[in-house]
Amino acid sequence: MDALVNVALVLLVLVPSVVLHEVAHGVAALRFGDDTARRAGRLTLNPIAHIDPFGTVILPALLAFTTGAAFGYAKPVPVNRSRMRRPRDHGLLVSLAGPATNIVLAVGAAALLRASASAGSPFVLETLFRFGIINVILAAFNLLPIPPLDGSAVVERLLPRRLLPRWHTVRQYSMPVLLLIVLLLPGTLGGLFGFARGLWLRLL
């Protein structure tokens, strides 16, 4: 596949995937009493409100050019847990709403692929396939229990209240740890993504 076509296809499936992921956080927060995302104008499907120039465009484009695959992210939707009715419980559900949305999208893509396998055009089938894979990877990555990823909310919810101040201190240094994992342990992440991809392929 031509490199430019590959980049265009990657962005075509990645942008709506990360936008829906972030909107899901905001919608869940609103459901539990926090309207921060709505007041910030982030409960919209307009990608312009969510695009991070580096994470949504430059990074996935570079990866698509150099590796043929891609990964990315959108601007995080602002959430204020203190405005929720039950901050710890509802904060967990808000965090999990993003990867849950990606899982639903991946399952939907698999269902459409099965339904259109014999009659769909090659471009449509390729787009659906990549859409499913991208959403599986987004879900798997965001469920890692490392701040600031969504999976860290599970750890935070399980911790006793007396340990939360220490946890919040650790969170300040979590981004370098996450970057080191991404840069220095690509094989580990590749194994995780491969496992998730294998589960999705079974649906086909």
Tab-separated table of all heavy atoms in Angstrom, residues 87-142:
chain	number	residue	atom	x	y	z
A	87	PRO	N	-17.493	10.179	44.385
A	87	PRO	CA	-16.263	10.409	43.610
A	87	PRO	C	-15.427	9.170	43.333
A	87	PRO	O	-14.963	8.986	42.198
A	87	PRO	CB	-15.501	11.414	44.476
A	87	PRO	CG	-16.573	12.163	45.199
A	87	PRO	CD	-17.622	11.134	45.507
A	88	ARG	N	-15.213	8.323	44.322
A	88	ARG	CA	-14.328	7.175	44.100
A	88	ARG	C	-14.979	6.155	43.160
A	88	ARG	O	-14.341	5.671	42.219
A	88	ARG	CB	-13.965	6.511	45.424
A	88	ARG	CG	-13.099	7.374	46.334
A	88	ARG	CD	-12.472	6.536	47.439
A	88	ARG	NE	-11.403	5.686	46.932
A	88	ARG	CZ	-10.822	4.720	47.638
A	88	ARG	NH1	-11.217	4.477	48.890
A	88	ARG	NH2	-9.853	4.003	47.123
A	89	ASP	N	-16.230	5.813	43.408
A	89	ASP	CA	-16.906	4.822	42.565
A	89	ASP	C	-17.171	5.373	41.168
A	89	ASP	O	-16.884	4.725	40.154
A	89	ASP	CB	-18.228	4.393	43.200
A	89	ASP	CG	-18.028	3.642	44.505
A	89	ASP	OD1	-16.960	3.009	44.666
A	89	ASP	OD2	-18.917	3.689	45.358
A	90	HIS	N	-17.711	6.564	41.122
A	90	HIS	CA	-18.044	7.141	39.827
A	90	HIS	C	-16.792	7.522	39.041
A	90	HIS	O	-16.776	7.422	37.805
A	90	HIS	CB	-18.959	8.355	40.021
A	90	HIS	CG	-20.320	7.992	40.515
A	90	HIS	ND1	-21.183	8.902	41.096
A	90	HIS	CD2	-20.980	6.795	40.523
A	90	HIS	CE1	-22.304	8.294	41.436
A	90	HIS	NE2	-22.205	7.020	41.102
A	91	GLY	N	-15.737	7.950	39.735
A	91	GLY	CA	-14.489	8.259	39.052
A	91	GLY	C	-13.923	7.040	38.345
A	91	GLY	O	-13.377	7.140	37.242
A	92	LEU	N	-14.056	5.867	38.976
A	92	LEU	CA	-13.602	4.623	38.355
A	92	LEU	C	-14.391	4.339	37.077
A	92	LEU	O	-13.818	4.017	36.028
A	92	LEU	CB	-13.753	3.462	39.335
A	92	LEU	CG	-13.523	2.057	38.767
A	92	LEU	CD1	-12.103	1.916	38.235
A	92	LEU	CD2	-13.816	0.992	39.827
A	93	LEU	N	-15.707	4.477	37.151
A	93	LEU	CA	-16.551	4.195	35.991
A	93	LEU	C	-16.277	5.173	34.855
A	93	LEU	O	-16.294	4.793	33.681
A	93	LEU	CB	-18.022	4.237	36.396
A	93	LEU	CG	-18.462	3.156	37.391
A	93	LEU	CD1	-19.917	3.350	37.788
A	93	LEU	CD2	-18.259	1.755	36.804
A	94	VAL	N	-16.030	6.422	35.203
A	94	VAL	CA	-15.696	7.415	34.177
A	94	VAL	C	-14.396	7.027	33.480
A	94	VAL	O	-14.282	7.109	32.247
A	94	VAL	CB	-15.584	8.824	34.802
A	94	VAL	CG1	-14.947	9.805	33.815
A	94	VAL	CG2	-16.954	9.320	35.219
A	95	SER	N	-13.407	6.595	34.235
A	95	SER	CA	-12.130	6.193	33.639
A	95	SER	C	-12.293	4.995	32.714
A	95	SER	O	-11.691	4.938	31.639
A	95	SER	CB	-11.118	5.859	34.739
A	95	SER	OG	-10.771	7.012	35.474
A	96	LEU	N	-13.116	4.040	33.113
A	96	LEU	CA	-13.289	2.825	32.323
A	96	LEU	C	-14.197	3.032	31.119
A	96	LEU	O	-14.230	2.191	30.216
A	96	LEU	CB	-13.839	1.701	33.202
A	96	LEU	CG	-12.915	1.231	34.334
A	96	LEU	CD1	-13.570	0.103	35.116
A	96	LEU	CD2	-11.570	0.771	33.777
A	97	ALA	N	-14.933	4.147	31.097
A	97	ALA	CA	-15.845	4.403	29.976
A	97	ALA	C	-15.094	4.527	28.654
A	97	ALA	O	-15.601	4.125	27.598
A	97	ALA	CB	-16.657	5.675	30.240
A	98	GLY	N	-13.882	5.092	28.688
A	98	GLY	CA	-13.096	5.253	27.466
A	98	GLY	C	-12.717	3.926	26.826
A	98	GLY	O	-13.081	3.653	25.678
A	99	PRO	N	-11.969	3.058	27.543
A	99	PRO	CA	-11.609	1.767	26.948
A	99	PRO	C	-12.816	0.887	26.667
A	99	PRO	O	-12.807	0.111	25.710
A	99	PRO	CB	-10.677	1.132	27.993
A	99	PRO	CG	-10.818	1.940	29.227
A	99	PRO	CD	-11.259	3.297	28.812
A	100	ALA	N	-13.879	1.012	27.478
A	100	ALA	CA	-15.090	0.235	27.204
A	100	ALA	C	-15.680	0.628	25.857
A	100	ALA	O	-16.150	-0.229	25.090
A	100	ALA	CB	-16.117	0.452	28.313
A	101	THR	N	-15.641	1.916	25.551
A	101	THR	CA	-16.121	2.391	24.255
A	101	THR	C	-15.290	1.814	23.123
A	101	THR	O	-15.820	1.386	22.089
A	101	THR	CB	-16.090	3.931	24.211
A	101	THR	OG1	-17.004	4.441	25.184
A	101	THR	CG2	-16.474	4.454	22.834
A	102	ASN	N	-13.960	1.780	23.298
A	102	ASN	CA	-13.097	1.198	22.267
A	102	ASN	C	-13.396	-0.282	22.056
A	102	ASN	O	-13.362	-0.775	20.921
A	102	ASN	CB	-11.629	1.386	22.629
A	102	ASN	CG	-11.196	2.839	22.611
A	102	ASN	OD1	-10.636	3.339	23.582
A	102	ASN	ND2	-11.452	3.541	21.517
A	103	ILE	N	-13.694	-0.993	23.133
A	103	ILE	CA	-14.038	-2.417	23.008
A	103	ILE	C	-15.338	-2.586	22.225
A	103	ILE	O	-15.445	-3.449	21.342
A	103	ILE	CB	-14.140	-3.064	24.398
A	103	ILE	CG1	-12.753	-3.136	25.049
A	103	ILE	CG2	-14.744	-4.469	24.304
A	103	ILE	CD1	-12.771	-3.576	26.501
A	104	VAL	N	-16.329	-1.762	22.542
A	104	VAL	CA	-17.608	-1.827	21.815
A	104	VAL	C	-17.393	-1.534	20.335
A	104	VAL	O	-17.949	-2.208	19.455
A	104	VAL	CB	-18.624	-0.848	22.433
A	104	VAL	CG1	-19.861	-0.717	21.549
A	104	VAL	CG2	-19.033	-1.304	23.827
A	105	LEU	N	-16.574	-0.529	20.031
A	105	LEU	CA	-16.291	-0.186	18.636
A	105	LEU	C	-15.580	-1.332	17.918
A	105	LEU	O	-15.861	-1.621	16.747
A	105	LEU	CB	-15.447	1.083	18.572
A	105	LEU	CG	-16.132	2.375	19.018
A	105	LEU	CD1	-15.130	3.526	19.062
A	105	LEU	CD2	-17.292	2.725	18.087
A	106	ALA	N	-14.648	-1.988	18.614
A	106	ALA	CA	-13.923	-3.108	18.017
A	106	ALA	C	-14.863	-4.275	17.722
A	106	ALA	O	-14.784	-4.907	16.661
A	106	ALA	CB	-12.789	-3.558	18.937
A	107	VAL	N	-15.757	-4.566	18.654
A	107	VAL	CA	-16.732	-5.650	18.447
A	107	VAL	C	-17.673	-5.292	17.297
A	107	VAL	O	-18.010	-6.142	16.461
A	107	VAL	CB	-17.529	-5.917	19.745
A	107	VAL	CG1	-18.669	-6.888	19.487
A	107	VAL	CG2	-16.603	-6.471	20.830
A	108	GLY	N	-18.090	-4.025	17.242
A	108	GLY	CA	-18.944	-3.595	16.145
A	108	GLY	C	-18.257	-3.730	14.794
A	108	GLY	O	-18.875	-4.147	13.805
A	109	ALA	N	-16.966	-3.375	14.746
A	109	ALA	CA	-16.205	-3.508	13.504
A	109	ALA	C	-16.115	-4.973	13.079
A	109	ALA	O	-16.236	-5.292	11.883
A	109	ALA	CB	-14.805	-2.927	13.673
A	110	ALA	N	-15.907	-5.875	14.049
A	110	ALA	CA	-15.834	-7.300	13.731
A	110	ALA	C	-17.168	-7.800	13.183
A	110	ALA	O	-17.201	-8.585	12.224
A	110	ALA	CB	-15.445	-8.088	14.982
A	111	ALA	N	-18.271	-7.355	13.786
A	111	ALA	CA	-19.594	-7.772	13.314
A	111	ALA	C	-19.841	-7.286	11.885
A	111	ALA	O	-20.360	-8.041	11.041
A	111	ALA	CB	-20.678	-7.237	14.253
A	112	LEU	N	-19.461	-6.050	11.596
A	112	LEU	CA	-19.639	-5.517	10.247
A	112	LEU	C	-18.752	-6.238	9.240
A	112	LEU	O	-19.146	-6.477	8.091
A	112	LEU	CB	-19.348	-4.019	10.231
A	112	LEU	CG	-20.391	-3.123	10.914
A	112	LEU	CD1	-19.901	-1.680	10.969
A	112	LEU	CD2	-21.725	-3.204	10.177
A	113	LEU	N	-17.540	-6.592	9.672
A	113	LEU	CA	-16.646	-7.333	8.788
A	113	LEU	C	-17.230	-8.688	8.423
A	113	LEU	O	-17.194	-9.105	7.258
A	113	LEU	CB	-15.280	-7.518	9.454
A	113	LEU	CG	-14.243	-6.426	9.225
A	113	LEU	CD1	-13.035	-6.646	10.125
A	113	LEU	CD2	-13.814	-6.392	7.764
A	114	ARG	N	-17.777	-9.367	9.400
A	114	ARG	CA	-18.365	-10.678	9.134
A	114	ARG	C	-19.569	-10.551	8.214
A	114	ARG	O	-19.793	-11.377	7.335
A	114	ARG	CB	-18.766	-11.347	10.439
A	114	ARG	CG	-17.606	-11.728	11.327
A	114	ARG	CD	-18.026	-12.621	12.466
A	114	ARG	NE	-18.586	-13.882	12.001
A	114	ARG	CZ	-18.855	-14.929	12.781
A	114	ARG	NH1	-18.615	-14.849	14.079
A	114	ARG	NH2	-19.350	-16.026	12.296
A	115	ALA	N	-20.357	-9.500	8.422
A	115	ALA	CA	-21.570	-9.327	7.629
A	115	ALA	C	-21.276	-8.938	6.186
A	115	ALA	O	-22.056	-9.266	5.280
A	115	ALA	CB	-22.467	-8.271	8.273
A	116	SER	N	-20.154	-8.235	5.973
A	116	SER	CA	-19.863	-7.724	4.632
A	116	SER	C	-18.676	-8.410	3.965
A	116	SER	O	-18.197	-7.946	2.932
A	116	SER	CB	-19.602	-6.209	4.705
A	116	SER	OG	-18.527	-5.915	5.587
A	117	ALA	N	-18.205	-9.497	4.553
A	117	ALA	CA	-16.985	-10.144	4.051
A	117	ALA	C	-17.107	-10.564	2.592
A	117	ALA	O	-16.136	-10.472	1.826
A	117	ALA	CB	-16.644	-11.343	4.913
A	118	SER	N	-18.264	-11.021	2.184
A	118	SER	CA	-18.409	-11.538	0.825
A	118	SER	C	-18.829	-10.484	-0.184
A	118	SER	O	-18.698	-10.698	-1.398
A	118	SER	CB	-19.448	-12.676	0.818
A	118	SER	OG	-20.702	-12.198	1.291
A	119	ALA	N	-19.347	-9.351	0.293
A	119	ALA	CA	-19.874	-8.357	-0.633
A	119	ALA	C	-19.234	-6.982	-0.514
A	119	ALA	O	-19.432	-6.134	-1.380
A	119	ALA	CB	-21.392	-8.223	-0.439
A	120	GLY	N	-18.478	-6.746	0.543
A	120	GLY	CA	-17.911	-5.424	0.756
A	120	GLY	C	-16.739	-5.142	-0.170
A	120	GLY	O	-16.044	-6.058	-0.634
A	121	SER	N	-16.505	-3.874	-0.457
A	121	SER	CA	-15.364	-3.486	-1.289
A	121	SER	C	-14.075	-3.658	-0.491
A	121	SER	O	-14.084	-3.596	0.748
A	121	SER	CB	-15.507	-2.031	-1.725
A	121	SER	OG	-15.302	-1.164	-0.626
A	122	PRO	N	-12.948	-3.885	-1.174
A	122	PRO	CA	-11.673	-4.051	-0.456
A	122	PRO	C	-11.345	-2.869	0.450
A	122	PRO	O	-10.820	-3.060	1.554
A	122	PRO	CB	-10.654	-4.186	-1.592
A	122	PRO	CG	-11.440	-4.748	-2.725
A	122	PRO	CD	-12.797	-4.130	-2.617
A	123	PHE	N	-11.661	-1.646	0.002
A	123	PHE	CA	-11.357	-0.469	0.819
A	123	PHE	C	-12.183	-0.469	2.103
A	123	PHE	O	-11.660	-0.192	3.189
A	123	PHE	CB	-11.629	0.815	0.034
A	123	PHE	CG	-11.417	2.067	0.849
A	123	PHE	CD1	-10.136	2.542	1.099
A	123	PHE	CD2	-12.500	2.760	1.385
A	123	PHE	CE1	-9.931	3.686	1.861
A	123	PHE	CE2	-12.299	3.908	2.144
A	123	PHE	CZ	-11.021	4.368	2.383
A	124	VAL	N	-13.463	-0.789	1.990
A	124	VAL	CA	-14.336	-0.824	3.174
A	124	VAL	C	-13.870	-1.903	4.140
A	124	VAL	O	-13.797	-1.685	5.358
A	124	VAL	CB	-15.801	-1.058	2.763
A	124	VAL	CG1	-16.671	-1.342	3.997
A	124	VAL	CG2	-16.345	0.153	2.007
A	125	LEU	N	-13.536	-3.073	3.608
A	125	LEU	CA	-13.090	-4.169	4.470
A	125	LEU	C	-11.780	-3.820	5.168
A	125	LEU	O	-11.609	-4.099	6.358
A	125	LEU	CB	-12.930	-5.447	3.641
A	125	LEU	CG	-14.213	-6.018	3.034
A	125	LEU	CD1	-13.898	-7.235	2.180
A	125	LEU	CD2	-15.217	-6.381	4.129
A	126	GLU	N	-10.854	-3.209	4.440
A	126	GLU	CA	-9.574	-2.809	5.038
A	126	GLU	C	-9.785	-1.754	6.110
A	126	GLU	O	-9.149	-1.782	7.172
A	126	GLU	CB	-8.633	-2.275	3.954
A	126	GLU	CG	-7.292	-1.770	4.458
A	126	GLU	CD	-6.396	-2.868	4.996
A	126	GLU	OE1	-6.650	-4.048	4.698
A	126	GLU	OE2	-5.426	-2.536	5.710
A	127	THR	N	-10.683	-0.807	5.850
A	127	THR	CA	-10.968	0.248	6.826
A	127	THR	C	-11.582	-0.335	8.087
A	127	THR	O	-11.187	0.018	9.205
A	127	THR	CB	-11.922	1.301	6.218
A	127	THR	OG1	-11.321	1.868	5.052
A	127	THR	CG2	-12.211	2.407	7.226
A	128	LEU	N	-12.535	-1.240	7.940
A	128	LEU	CA	-13.166	-1.871	9.103
A	128	LEU	C	-12.149	-2.693	9.893
A	128	LEU	O	-12.157	-2.683	11.132
A	128	LEU	CB	-14.322	-2.768	8.657
A	128	LEU	CG	-15.601	-2.064	8.227
A	128	LEU	CD1	-16.592	-3.067	7.628
A	128	LEU	CD2	-16.244	-1.355	9.436
A	129	PHE	N	-11.277	-3.401	9.159
A	129	PHE	CA	-10.266	-4.212	9.837
A	129	PHE	C	-9.344	-3.330	10.676
A	129	PHE	O	-9.082	-3.618	11.852
A	129	PHE	CB	-9.463	-5.010	8.816
A	129	PHE	CG	-8.447	-5.929	9.428
A	129	PHE	CD1	-8.806	-7.171	9.909
A	129	PHE	CD2	-7.117	-5.537	9.534
A	129	PHE	CE1	-7.865	-8.018	10.498
A	129	PHE	CE2	-6.173	-6.370	10.109
A	129	PHE	CZ	-6.553	-7.610	10.590
A	130	ARG	N	-8.866	-2.251	10.076
A	130	ARG	CA	-7.968	-1.358	10.817
A	130	ARG	C	-8.689	-0.658	11.954
A	130	ARG	O	-8.103	-0.419	13.004
A	130	ARG	CB	-7.365	-0.336	9.856
A	130	ARG	CG	-6.415	-0.940	8.848
A	130	ARG	CD	-5.507	0.118	8.318
A	130	ARG	NE	-4.596	-0.413	7.310
A	130	ARG	CZ	-3.424	0.100	7.044
A	130	ARG	NH1	-2.998	1.164	7.721
A	130	ARG	NH2	-2.654	-0.405	6.113
A	131	PHE	N	-9.939	-0.316	11.733
A	131	PHE	CA	-10.721	0.321	12.792
A	131	PHE	C	-10.825	-0.604	13.997
A	131	PHE	O	-10.668	-0.171	15.151
A	131	PHE	CB	-12.110	0.676	12.264
A	131	PHE	CG	-12.937	1.491	13.212
A	131	PHE	CD1	-12.677	2.838	13.398
A	131	PHE	CD2	-13.986	0.914	13.919
A	131	PHE	CE1	-13.445	3.602	14.273
A	131	PHE	CE2	-14.758	1.663	14.783
A	131	PHE	CZ	-14.488	3.013	14.965
A	132	GLY	N	-11.075	-1.872	13.740
A	132	GLY	CA	-11.147	-2.843	14.836
A	132	GLY	C	-9.828	-2.992	15.559
A	132	GLY	O	-9.775	-2.982	16.795
A	133	ILE	N	-8.736	-3.130	14.798
A	133	ILE	CA	-7.417	-3.305	15.402
A	133	ILE	C	-7.023	-2.084	16.226
A	133	ILE	O	-6.523	-2.207	17.361
A	133	ILE	CB	-6.352	-3.573	14.312
A	133	ILE	CG1	-6.577	-4.937	13.664
A	133	ILE	CG2	-4.954	-3.479	14.891
A	133	ILE	CD1	-6.401	-6.112	14.611
A	134	ILE	N	-7.231	-0.894	15.675
A	134	ILE	CA	-6.886	0.340	16.392
A	134	ILE	C	-7.624	0.404	17.719
A	134	ILE	O	-7.049	0.748	18.768
A	134	ILE	CB	-7.224	1.578	15.536
A	134	ILE	CG1	-6.172	1.802	14.452
A	134	ILE	CG2	-7.343	2.831	16.400
A	134	ILE	CD1	-4.850	2.337	14.954
A	135	ASN	N	-8.894	0.070	17.724
A	135	ASN	CA	-9.674	0.163	18.955
A	135	ASN	C	-9.288	-0.904	19.969
A	135	ASN	O	-9.317	-0.657	21.181
A	135	ASN	CB	-11.169	0.105	18.637
A	135	ASN	CG	-11.717	1.451	18.226
A	135	ASN	OD1	-11.986	2.308	19.053
A	135	ASN	ND2	-11.853	1.658	16.924
A	136	VAL	N	-8.901	-2.075	19.496
A	136	VAL	CA	-8.400	-3.109	20.404
A	136	VAL	C	-7.119	-2.637	21.079
A	136	VAL	O	-6.938	-2.788	22.307
A	136	VAL	CB	-8.151	-4.421	19.631
A	136	VAL	CG1	-7.291	-5.375	20.454
A	136	VAL	CG2	-9.470	-5.082	19.286
A	137	ILE	N	-6.215	-2.051	20.304
A	137	ILE	CA	-4.948	-1.567	20.860
A	137	ILE	C	-5.179	-0.426	21.833
A	137	ILE	O	-4.576	-0.370	22.918
A	137	ILE	CB	-4.000	-1.141	19.725
A	137	ILE	CG1	-3.537	-2.378	18.950
A	137	ILE	CG2	-2.792	-0.387	20.274
A	137	ILE	CD1	-2.691	-2.055	17.729
A	138	LEU	N	-6.068	0.513	21.475
A	138	LEU	CA	-6.378	1.621	22.373
A	138	LEU	C	-6.939	1.110	23.699
A	138	LEU	O	-6.571	1.598	24.776
A	138	LEU	CB	-7.379	2.577	21.711
A	138	LEU	CG	-6.841	3.471	20.597
A	138	LEU	CD1	-7.989	4.208	19.925
A	138	LEU	CD2	-5.828	4.464	21.147
A	139	ALA	N	-7.835	0.139	23.637
A	139	ALA	CA	-8.417	-0.408	24.861
A	139	ALA	C	-7.355	-1.090	25.717
A	139	ALA	O	-7.267	-0.857	26.931
A	139	ALA	CB	-9.537	-1.387	24.513
A	140	ALA	N	-6.537	-1.930	25.092
A	140	ALA	CA	-5.517	-2.675	25.833
A	140	ALA	C	-4.504	-1.726	26.479
A	140	ALA	O	-4.131	-1.891	27.652
A	140	ALA	CB	-4.803	-3.656	24.906
A	141	PHE	N	-4.057	-0.730	25.721
A	141	PHE	CA	-3.062	0.198	26.246
A	141	PHE	C	-3.627	1.019	27.407
A	141	PHE	O	-2.988	1.172	28.451
A	141	PHE	CB	-2.577	1.125	25.139
A	141	PHE	CG	-1.498	2.081	25.572
A	141	PHE	CD1	-0.221	1.625	25.835
A	141	PHE	CD2	-1.766	3.430	25.720
A	141	PHE	CE1	0.784	2.498	26.238
A	141	PHE	CE2	-0.770	4.311	26.115
A	141	PHE	CZ	0.507	3.843	26.385
A	142	ASN	N	-4.831	1.538	27.233
A	142	ASN	CA	-5.413	2.395	28.265
A	142	ASN	C	-5.819	1.625	29.514
A	142	ASN	O	-6.017	2.239	30.572
A	142	ASN	CB	-6.617	3.152	27.702
A	142	ASN	CG	-6.207	4.374	26.915
A	142	ASN	OD1	-5.827	5.391	27.458
A	142	ASN	ND2	-6.266	4.255	25.582
